[in-house]
Amino acid sequence: MSSTKTKLPHRALSRQKIQEEQQDKMLFAFIMFFMFNLIASIGIAIMSRGESVTASIFGISNGKEHFMHMFDNIREYNQAKIYSYASKIYPPLATVFYRLYGLLLNNELVYADESGRYLMQKDQRAMMIYIFFASVVIILLTRLFERQIKHIKSRTVVKLITFSIVVSFPILHCICTGNIAILALLFSLCFIIYRKSENAKLRELSYLSLAVAVGLQIYPIVFILLLISEDRAKFKFSRTIIYCIVILLVPFLLFVLFENPNNVGIAIKNSLIAFLNLFKVGSKGLNFDSISITNIVYMPIVRRLINQKMFMASVALFSSEFLAIVLFFLSKSHWRKVFLLTYLFINIPGISNQSILSFILPVFVLFACDVKNREKSDWIFFILFATILSPIPVWWYFYADKLTVWANHNGFPFEASINKVCGSLLFQLMFILVVIVEIVAIVYRCKKAAQNTYYEISYINDIDNMQNEVTV
Amino acid sequence: MIKRNKPVLNAQQYNDLLIKFFIVFFVINMAVCLIFGFISNGDAISIMLNGHGKPPSPFRDFYESIYDGSKNYSYTQSGNIYPPVALLFFRFMSKIITPDLLSLWYRYIGRMLCDQRTMIVFLIFCIICLLWMYNMLNKKFVSESNRKLAPILCFCCIFSYPVVYCIERGNVVILSMLLTMFFVFARNDESKYVRELSYISLAFAAGTKLYPAIFGLLLLKDKNFKGAIRTIIYGFIVIAVPFMYFYILDPTTNIELPAIFTASASSADIQTNVAAAEETKGVLKSYIDSIGRLFNRKSGWVYFGSVSIENLAFMTMNTKTKDNQELRGEIGKILFWASEIIALSLFFFAKKEWQKVSLLTYLMLNIPAASSAYAMTFIIIPFACFVCEKEKSKIDWFYMACFAILLSPLPTLWYFNHALFKALYKSYLGIAYIPSLNKLTSYVIYQLMHLVMLIQIITITFSKDTEKKDEMKNKPIECQEFTELEEAVI
C-alpha cells in the first residue's frame, strides 16, 4: 500500500518532467527555425535590394501600396452616406476611428479622388499618426503576449518568443499594408486573456474589449462563445452581448441618422446584404491572399480533378464551418476551442486574407502554454505554427521571371511569397489535424464513459445479486 | 478645538504624488493638443512641430542620411557630420533601398518618402526603437518606482514632444539615446554580461552621435576604472573600424578595392568622384573638421529648439536691427564655456544619480550644434532617474514641473488668434517669435532647472562640508570619552 502511494506522485512528477522537457525542445526548435528564416529573409532582402520583402507582402507589380489599406479606408469611410452602399460592411467603430483620423488631416487629402490616392503617403501628419499607431499597437501586443507566456522559466526564451510573434509574417503584413485588423486582434487578445481573471474590473474590461473588437471588425464576435463553458455563463454572455450591441448600434445609428435619416431601413438592409455577400464564393480563381478553404479548389492539381468548382467550394466552406462549430462545443482543449473559433471567421471568403491570419497568434500562445497536455503529436502542430508564422525567405525570387511564365502557362498567377503560397494549405491542414485529434479525443472520452457506465452497471448488478442472495 | 495634523506622506507616497502631477499635466496638454488638432484639421499639431506654413516632408533626416551613406565620398564631399557607425548603419539601409532613388540629384530625394522599401524600413526602425524604449523604461519604473503607474509613464515618454519631434525628423539620435539609456540603467547590473553589454552600448551610442561619450564619466564617478578603460577601448574600436572602412572607400584615398566593396548604389557617384578628387582635404581632416563644427553656432540669432546657454545671449536681440550680433556671439561663447566648466566640476560633487545624469546631459545638450529639439530626447534619461529617486524633497516639485513642461506636448494656445498674437508679440517685444510653445520655452526652462540644480548641489556640498568639519572637531573628544569609559569597564 505504501509503495503504491509513493509510486503515484513519482509517476506524475516524471510525466510532468517529460512534458516540460518536450515543451523546452519544441520552443527551442521553434525559435531556431524562426530565427533562421528571419536571418535568411534579411540576407535575401539585401541581395535583392529589398525587392524580395516588398514582393512577399505586396506582390511583384505593386510598387507603392505601403500603408494604403489604412489611407484608402480613411478616404472611403469619410465619404458621406457610406451606409447607403451595398458593396461592403463598414463596422461602426472602424468608421469612428477613420473619421477621427481624417479630422487630423487636410480635407484635400481626405476627400481626394483616385488621382490623389497616394497624397497621404507624402503627408507629415498622416505618416506620423500611422507610425505611432503601429508602434503603440505592437507595444501593447508585446505586453499582452509576454503576460500570457510569463510562466516560461527562461526570460530569454520569453523575450525571443515575444520577438518572434511581433515580427511574424501576419503581423508584418498587417502593419505594412495598414490593416486595422491588428487593432481588433489587440482587443480580442485582451478578452481571451482576461475573461477568466480573478479581478472583477479586469473581467469587465475584457468584455468591453471584445465589444470594441466587434465594433472594429465584427467577426471577433465568435469569441463570445468562449463564455458559454464558464461559471455564470448566461450572466456574462448577456452582458457582453449588450456591450456589443451598444457599441455596434449606437455609432451606426448616429451616422445613419445624421447623414441619411430618411434611409435608415435601406442602410440596415444594405449592411445585411453586404454581410451575406461575405460568404459568397468567388469565381475569380486562385487568390493567394485568401486563406479560405474555397481557395483550395482552384489550386493547380485540385482544380483539374473538380468540374463544378464553385459548387464544391461552397460545399467545402459550409461543411468546414459546420464541423468547426460542432467540434468547438465538444472540445475540452482551450487552445483548440480558440483555434476552431478563429477558423470560423478566417475561413469566410469575403474577409479571409493574410492580415487576418494574425489571429492565429493567440492560438499559438495558448498552445505553447498548454504544457500539461503536451503530447509527442504536438510536434506537428509546432511545425505548422512555425511555418505559418515565420517570414520564410523568398528563395525563388531570383527566378521570378521564369516562374511567372510557367505559372501563366498553367493558368494561375505567380506569387513570390512562400508564406502566401503555403499559408492557406498549412492552415487548412492544421484544421484537419485538429478535427482528427478532436474526433479521437471524443471517441476516447465516449469509450471511457461507456466503460465507467459498464462498471457502474455491473457493480449495481453485483449489489442487486448480493441483496437477492441475502433475502433468499 | 482639535487640531488636525496634515497627513505625513512616506517617501513612496510623495513620489507617487509627483508622478501623478506629471501624468495629469501631460494628459491635459495632450488632450488639448488633440482637440485643437481635430478643430484645425491637424494644422495646430503641425505648427507645434514646424511652425507656420506648409509642413515639410517628414523623416527627411533619415532618407537624406541614407542618401549620404550610400556615397563613397561621405566625408570629403558631402561634409557629413555623422560618426562612422551611424554612417555605416545608413549605408546598410541603402542596400535595401531602390537604387534608382539613390542616383537622383539631392533635391529630388524627397521621392524616397513614397518608396515602399524606405518607408517599411523606417517603420520597422521606429517600432523597434519605441518598443525598446518602452521595455527599458517599464523595467526601470516597475523595479524602482510605482508599478501601477509605470505603463502610463512609459507612454508619456513615448508621446513626449522631443520623441515625437525626433520621429518626425527621422533623426537617428533616438537610437543613440536608447543605447545611452541602456548604459545608464545597466552599468551597475548584477550580471557581468549585462554590464559588459552596457559598456559596448555606450561605445555604439558614441559611435552614432559622438557626444554621448560624455556619459563614460559615470564610470569614473562610480570608481569603476577597469570598466572605463574597457569602454574607451570599445569606443575606439567601434569608431576606428568603420572609419577605416570609409577611409578606404573614399575615392580621394586612391586605394583600389574589389567592386563589391566600393560599388556605391548610384551612377551619379562616377560623375561626382571626379569632382571629389579635385577638391579634397583628406578623409581624416574632413572628419575632424566635422567634429569641430559641433561647437559652431547654427545661426546668428536665437535658434529655437536649441537649449544651449548661448541662446540666452541672443534672446533679447531685436529681430529687425539685429543689434550687437557679434558681441552677443562672444558673450554666448563665454557663457557656454563657463557653464560647461561649472557643470563638469559639480558633476564630481553631485550625490544623487539623477543629478549626475542630468549634468552630463546638460554638458551634451549645451553644445550649440548638438542642441536641438530632437536631441532633447536625452532628457528622458535624467527624468527616469529622477522618478526612481527614493528621497524626495519640496524642491523636487520644481524639477518635476520643469520636466513636465519640457516633455509634454504644449498646445499653441493662441493658435486661433495667432496672427494677432504674432503682431502684438513682435510690435511690443520685438524679439524672435515661434508658434511652438515647447520650442519657445524649452531653453529658458531647461537652463533654469539646471541653475537651480547647481545651486542645490553647491548648497548641499558646502553644508555637508561644514557638518563634516564639525564632526571632525568633536570626534577626538568623543573617542577619548569612549575609550576612557571602555577602560573603566575593563
Side-chain angles (χ1 to χ4, degrees), chain A residues 61-132:
Chain A
S61 54
N62 292 329
K64 285 172 82 173
E65 294 300 308
H66 52 287
F67 322 143
M68 285 313 293
H69 199 273
M70 176 72 73
F71 297 149
D72 284 340
N73 281 347
I74 291 170
R75 282 174 46 247
E76 191 175 341
Y77 279 66
N78 273 282
Q79 289 172 38
K81 302 181 185 179
I82 54 167
Y83 290 101
S84 305
Y85 303 115
S87 56
K88 54 191 278 192
I89 286 187
Y90 297 99
L93 217 56
T95 311
V96 171
F97 174 82
Y98 289 123
R99 294 233 172 152
L100 284 174
Y101 199 140
L103 277 177
L104 292 169
L105 307 177
N106 284 340
N107 288 339
E108 63 185 26
L109 298 173
V110 175
Y111 300 111
D113 55 14
E114 274 303 303
S115 60
R117 194 176 161 238
Y118 297 107
L119 286 175
M120 280 193 208
Q121 284 178 342
K122 297 180 205 171
D123 184 65
Q124 180 203 48
R125 291 192 294 274
M127 292 295 277
M128 285 285 293
I129 293 169
Y130 184 72
I131 290 206
F132 276 97

Side-chain angles (χ1 to χ4, degrees), chain B residues 169-214:
Chain B
R169 282 290 293 260
N171 201 290
V172 80
V173 76
I174 193 167
L175 186 60
S176 183
M177 186 275 286
L178 290 169
L179 291 163
T180 312
M181 188 189 280
F182 181 71
F183 164 75
V184 171
F185 292 170
R187 73 185 195 281
N188 293 323
D189 196 82
E190 288 164 2
S191 164
K192 63 178 180 181
Y193 301 109
V194 173
R195 284 201 303 272
E196 211 60 31
L197 207 59
S198 73
Y199 306 151
I200 297 171
S201 172
L202 182 64
F204 273 98
T208 315
K209 275 291 190 178
L210 278 182
Y211 34 82
I214 201 90

Side-chain angles (χ1 to χ4, degrees), chain A residues 211-342:
Chain A
V212 170
V214 170
L216 287 168
Q217 292 281 271
I218 312 279
Y219 47 76
I221 189 75
V222 296
F223 290 121
I224 205 171
L225 294 172
L226 287 169
L227 293 172
I228 286 175
S229 54
E230 290 183 15
D231 299 332
R232 299 169 71 212
K234 274 187 192 169
F235 179 60
K236 291 175 184 176
F237 193 86
S238 51
R239 264 228 303 285
T240 312
I241 284 283
I242 290 168
Y243 291 145
C244 291
I245 290 170
V246 166
I247 282 181
L248 269 174
L249 274 185
V250 167
F252 174 75
L253 288 172
L254 282 172
F255 284 124
V256 170
L257 288 170
F258 275 106
E259 292 175 1
N260 209 2
N262 299 326
N263 296 328
V264 174
I266 293 173
I268 294 172
K269 185 185 150 197
N270 287 341
S271 296
L272 286 169
I273 292 170
F275 177 74
L276 290 170
N277 283 341
L278 291 175
F279 293 89
K280 247 187 191 175
V281 174
S283 57
K284 289 180 186 174
L286 189 57
N287 174 17
F288 283 111
D289 207 39
S290 171
I291 319 290
S292 174
I293 199 169
T294 56
N295 217 23
I296 290 177
V297 300
Y298 294 104
M299 293 249 166
I301 297 167
V302 176
R303 68 186 189 165
R304 283 178 190 169
L305 302 171
I306 300 169
N307 288 327
Q308 293 182 342
K309 296 180 187 46
M310 277 180 68
F311 172 73
M312 288 309 294
S314 304
V315 166
L317 172 68
F318 289 107
S319 51
S320 59
E321 294 284 287
F322 177 74
L323 199 56
I325 195 82
V326 164
L327 286 175
F328 165 77
F329 286 107
L330 296 174
S331 175
K332 298 286 179 197
S333 162
H334 183 44
W335 80 265
R336 287 201 289 269
K337 283 169 98 81
V338 177
F339 172 78
L340 289 163
L341 290 178
T342 311

Side-chain angles (χ1 to χ4, degrees), chain B residues 195-446:
Chain B
R195 284 201 303 272
E196 211 60 31
L197 207 59
S198 73
Y199 306 151
I200 297 171
S201 172
L202 182 64
F204 273 98
T208 315
K209 275 291 190 178
L210 278 182
Y211 34 82
I214 201 90
F215 282 88
L217 288 174
L218 281 170
L219 291 171
L220 293 177
K221 180 83 171 140
D222 294 341
K223 294 180 185 171
N224 183 0
F225 302 113
K226 286 182 184 174
I229 291 167
R230 285 207 300 280
T231 309
I232 292 169
I233 294 169
Y234 294 142
F236 180 76
I237 295 169
V238 158
I239 291 174
V241 170
F243 179 75
M244 286 310 299
Y245 170 70
F246 284 105
Y247 180 83
I248 293 166
L249 265 188
D250 197 286
T252 59
T253 52
N254 296 318
I255 295 173
E256 284 189 23
L257 284 173
I260 194 165
F261 293 108
T262 62
S264 70
S266 67
S267 55
D269 255 351
I270 300 164
Q271 295 158 14
T272 49
N273 277 353
V274 174
E278 290 172 359
E279 48 168 296
T280 175
K281 46 181 176 174
V283 178
L284 187 60
K285 193 171 186 311
S286 303
Y287 181 56
I288 292 169
D289 284 350
S290 71
I291 297 170
R293 282 198 291 276
L294 281 176
F295 295 92
N296 296 341
R297 268 197 69 76
K298 284 182 180 173
S299 66
W301 63 348
V302 169
Y303 176 57
F304 289 111
S306 167
V307 294
S308 174
I309 200 167
E310 279 198 12
N311 250 356
L312 287 175
F314 291 88
M315 243 174 74
T316 56
M317 188 171 80
N318 191 295
T319 50
K320 286 181 186 169
T321 61
K322 295 189 186 169
D323 50 308
N324 301 319
Q325 199 174 30
E326 277 184 31
L327 176 64
R328 288 173 189 275
E330 293 304 315
I331 293 170
K333 276 184 188 169
I334 293 168
L335 282 173
F336 166 71
W337 287 110
S339 60
E340 291 284 282
I341 291 166
I342 292 169
L344 186 61
S345 311
L346 286 176
F347 165 75
F348 293 101
F349 291 97
K351 295 282 182 257
K352 293 186 179 180
E353 171 78 358
W354 84 267
Q355 286 179 341
K356 288 185 249 178
V357 176
S358 185
L359 283 165
L360 293 177
T361 312
Y362 179 85
L363 283 170
M364 204 178 66
L365 292 178
N366 208 25
I367 299 169
S371 185
S372 54
Y374 49 80
M376 288 289 281
T377 50
F378 276 89
I379 258 177
I380 291 172
I381 307 173
F383 170 69
C385 295
F386 173 74
V387 165
C388 297
E389 193 68 45
K390 297 276 185 279
E391 292 172 15
K392 290 284 197 313
S393 56
K394 285 184 183 175
I395 190 76
D396 292 320
W397 281 101
F398 169 76
Y399 293 129
M400 190 52 108
C402 290
F403 277 124
I405 294 169
L406 289 169
L407 293 173
S408 303
L410 303 173
T412 307
L413 298 164
W414 60 89
Y415 170 77
F416 298 102
N417 291 307
H418 67 260
L420 176 66
F421 182 84
K422 189 177 175 181
L424 286 169
Y425 188 100
K426 284 197 163 171
S427 57
Y428 283 103
L429 295 174
I431 58 177
Y433 159 80
I434 195 164
S436 165
L437 200 52
N438 281 94
K439 288 183 181 175
L440 206 56
T441 57
S442 57
Y443 60 94
V444 173
I445 300 291
Y446 186 61

